[in-house]
Amino acid sequence: MSLFNIFGRRTEASSAYNPVSEDEDKLLDEPTLATRLELEKLQQANANLKRVLGIFAGFFLAFLALVAFKSWETHEDSLVFPRILKSPVPPMPMNVQTFERNSLYASRPSPESDAAWNALLPEGRGFVYVPESEKYSLPPGEKVFYGEIYSVSLFHQLHCLGQLRKYYWLLVDGVKSNSTSLKPMVEGLLGPSGEHVSHCFDYLRQTLQCAGDMALEWPRKEEDGSRFAVDGWNIPHECRSWDHIVDYMKDNYFNLSMNSEIAPDHPMHKDGMAKL
């Protein structure tokens, strides 16, 4: 027998097709019981994961919607400008405030108008506690029993405006009555003690320049339909939220101040600040 015949037969035998029986075919197509159980576990785990993710996504979206609604409800059209200086005072949200005439603040001193002005001053007369002031690179504040206190500029500005209001009406009444009883006060304003009042002009000038309100004002409409005079009323402005300012002052005010008037008649310190 030749080698060709031997290898030829082996090749033919090895390449011959042996059909699979129907029982064997079913075993190949159908997974085993263990495999089916494993697949069912994976499918169940996948379904549970989808449910958990769906619930989490629902709660997260509801939370975002609630935060957005509360933000809109409390401070509509609000925004926060970035800070440049380190400060313990948080940034105050901005909102749109339309300036409208309020004759109570423009009228001469009376129990009603004085009460309105004094109501602008929070507890502590605009002073707040600042713990760990060195964290904010602040020079030392005024030391009191509970710590250091600092003046919030806004309320210093209102105090200055209140002083100017008080002396304006005193001088108006003195001129109208042709009274000489105000002479000591006038002499005091022209002397060293008047520094507290005169510094307010320059201080308020700089605060106005600092705020830099760039709102555009249009002239009011006159009875004949013409427009030429700008009075500033009914003009929208971007303002810091007064509600947020009041909340901050309530939480941090200096509670040992016995003074609640915006323009008190107290003696002055040498540096021109009114006594607490």
Side-chain angles (χ1 to χ4, degrees), residues 58-72:
F59 277 113
F60 183 69
L61 291 175
F63 172 75
L64 290 180
L66 179 62
V67 170
F69 174 75
K70 287 296 183 183
S71 177
W72 173 84

Side-chain angles (χ1 to χ4, degrees), residues 35 40 65 71 86 110 148 157 202 219 239 276:
T35 304
E40 289 176 359
S71 177
K86 290 191 295 184
S110 67
E148 289 183 314
Q157 296 163 30
D202 193 30
C239 306
L276 295 172

Side-chain angles (χ1 to χ4, degrees), residues 25-38:
D25 191 42
K26 289 180 179 179
L27 289 175
L28 292 174
D29 290 340
E30 295 180 2
T32 63
L33 178 61
T35 304
R36 287 201 304 270
L37 292 175
E38 190 66 26

Side-chain angles (χ1 to χ4, degrees), residues 20 23 28 112 206 223 237 246 267:
V20 179
D23 293 337
L28 292 174
E112 293 77 19
Q206 294 188 52
E223 292 183 0
H237 295 253
V246 170

Side-chain angles (χ1 to χ4, degrees), residues 153-165:
S153 181
L154 165 63
F155 299 103
H156 186 178
Q157 296 163 30
L158 284 172
H159 167 70
C160 260
L161 190 58
Q163 288 285 347
L164 296 177
R165 169 182 176 265

Side-chain angles (χ1 to χ4, degrees), residues 243-259:
D243 291 339
H244 273 79
I245 292 171
V246 170
D247 288 343
Y248 172 78
M249 298 303 295
K250 285 180 179 178
D251 292 338
N252 298 275
Y253 73 91
F254 170 56
N255 57 1
L256 295 182
S257 175
M258 304 302 294
N259 185 2

Side-chain angles (χ1 to χ4, degrees), residues 128-145:
V128 294
Y129 284 109
V130 178
E132 300 179 300
S133 59
E134 64 278 0
K135 289 173 53 177
Y136 309 100
S137 303
L138 290 171
E142 182 175 349
K143 294 187 182 298
V144 295
F145 181 76

Side-chain angles (χ1 to χ4, degrees), residues 87-131:
S87 174
V89 182
M92 297 295 160
M94 306 289 289
N95 56 24
V96 176
Q97 185 71 35
T98 299
F99 286 12
E100 297 177 348
R101 178 179 174 81
N102 189 326
S103 59
L104 184 61
Y105 292 96
S107 61
R108 62 175 297 105
S110 67
E112 293 77 19
S113 63
D114 288 346
W117 277 93
N118 290 334
L120 298 174
L121 205 63
E123 296 288 341
R125 209 172 60 80
F127 284 81
V128 294
Y129 284 109
V130 178

